[in-house]
């Protein structure tokens, strides 16, 4: 029998206890998030949830050793760089909390654009110089008017779903346009025997409350 390091046994034991004693357990993707950002997110989640970066294999073992109904289904979300998140909140609240941790980030080049990236017609903060040629090579409608660098027209530089070229990414950063979003990507949740996908949790809670109030008022009338 292969020797198993003590730290791995301890890690699995801790994970098993965390999962067993938690009301809501989730798996989140952390690909592309720097360690410093994860630390900040962990701090922001304090008093709301516990975030623990885990090794995929050890988490799968811990789930297998956890005696909860249907918990094995949580393993389907263990892929890539992940972390375990546990909390006392309901799944809808957890989803909203995770969405609130997301921040805008500059593109580095090579990413798929999550949106249409557009520059608006008008002046820029740049002074005339080599920047004009750099912008034009990257496809920006740049020119000089009255001693200022301007965009002659509004233009979509990269469409949603397209790859962001490196030279475009560099110019977007100089323009302080940050098209990427960095944050914890919820992959799946286990809640009292039920597996919940993020798409089921993405609702407008304020709108839902308003509709509920209207419905209650109409029923009373």
């Amino acid at each position: 029998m292969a020797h198993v390091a003590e730290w791995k046994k301890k890690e699995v034991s801790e994970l098993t206890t965390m999962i067993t004693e938690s009301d809501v357990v989730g798996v989140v993707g952390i690909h592309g998030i720097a360690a410093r950002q994860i630390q900040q997110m962990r701090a922001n989640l304090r008093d709301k949830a516990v975030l623990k970066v885990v090794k995929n294999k050890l988490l799968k073992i811990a789930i297998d050793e956890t005696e909860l109904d249907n918990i094995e289904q949580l393993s389907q979300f263990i892929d890539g760089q992940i972390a375990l998140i546990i909390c006392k909140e309901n799944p809808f609240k957890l989803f909203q909390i995770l969405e609130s941790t997301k921040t805008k980030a500059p593109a580095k080049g090579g990413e798929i654009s999550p949106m249409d990236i557009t520059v608006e017609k008008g002046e820029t903060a740049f002074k005339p110089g080599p920047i004009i040629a750099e912008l034009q090579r990257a496809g920006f409608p740049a020119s000089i008017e009255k001693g200022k660098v301007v965009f002659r027209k509004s233009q979509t530089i990269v469409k949603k779903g397209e790859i962001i070229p490196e030279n475009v990414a560099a110019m977007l950063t100089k323009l302080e346009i940050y098209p990427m979003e960095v944050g914890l990507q919820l992959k799946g949740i286990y809640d009292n025997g039920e597996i919940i996908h993020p798409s089921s949790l993405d609702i407008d809670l304020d709108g839902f409350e308003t509709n509920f109030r209207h419905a209650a008022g109409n029923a009373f009338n």
Side-chain angles (χ1 to χ4, degrees), residues 30-201:
I30 58 173
H31 177 73
I33 305 178
R36 183 183 61 190
Q37 291 174 307
I38 289 178
Q39 291 176 356
Q40 183 60 52
M41 291 173 182
R42 185 180 287 121
N44 293 340
L45 289 168
R46 190 175 295 129
D47 300 327
K48 300 174 184 176
V50 175
L51 180 70
K52 182 176 179 61
V53 178
V54 294
K55 292 187 177 296
N56 296 13
K57 186 175 181 178
L58 297 185
L59 179 56
K60 287 181 179 179
I61 294 173
I63 289 174
D64 288 341
E65 295 184 0
T66 304
E67 297 180 359
L68 293 174
D69 291 340
N70 206 36
I71 187 65
E72 68 279 359
Q73 294 298 318
L74 194 63
S75 293
Q76 67 183 286
F77 305 111
I78 301 177
D79 181 51
Q81 294 176 287
I82 61 166
L84 184 72
I85 189 164
I86 61 174
C87 71
K88 299 293 184 181
E89 300 285 357
N90 66 68
F92 292 96
K93 184 65 175 178
L94 175 59
F95 180 84
Q96 295 298 323
I97 290 172
L98 294 182
E99 286 297 298
S100 70
T101 69
K102 294 181 179 179
T103 58
K104 292 295 184 181
K108 298 178 180 179
E111 305 98 328
I112 296 175
S113 179
M115 65 185 76
D116 285 347
I117 303 175
T118 302
V119 294
E120 301 297 331
K121 177 181 178 180
E123 296 180 3
T124 73
F126 299 128
K127 295 180 179 179
I131 190 68
I132 288 288
E134 293 178 32
L135 285 166
Q136 290 176 344
R137 281 196 296 269
F140 291 78
S143 64
I144 298 177
E145 292 182 6
K146 299 179 180 179
K148 296 181 178 180
V149 177
V150 302
F151 292 136
R152 301 184 306 275
K153 60 181 179 179
S154 297
Q155 181 174 315
T156 297
I157 304 301
V158 181
K159 293 183 179 179
K160 180 179 179 179
E162 293 181 344
I163 300 295
I164 303 175
E166 288 188 14
N167 62 339
V168 172
M171 292 298 101
L172 290 173
T173 299
K174 289 183 178 182
L175 289 164
E176 297 185 352
I177 297 175
Y178 306 130
M180 308 310 295
E181 195 172 54
V182 175
L184 303 171
Q185 302 292 331
L186 184 62
K187 298 166 82 70
I189 282 180
Y190 174 85
D191 179 28
N192 292 317
E194 183 179 1
I195 295 294
I196 305 174
H197 292 259
S199 58
S200 301
L201 303 172

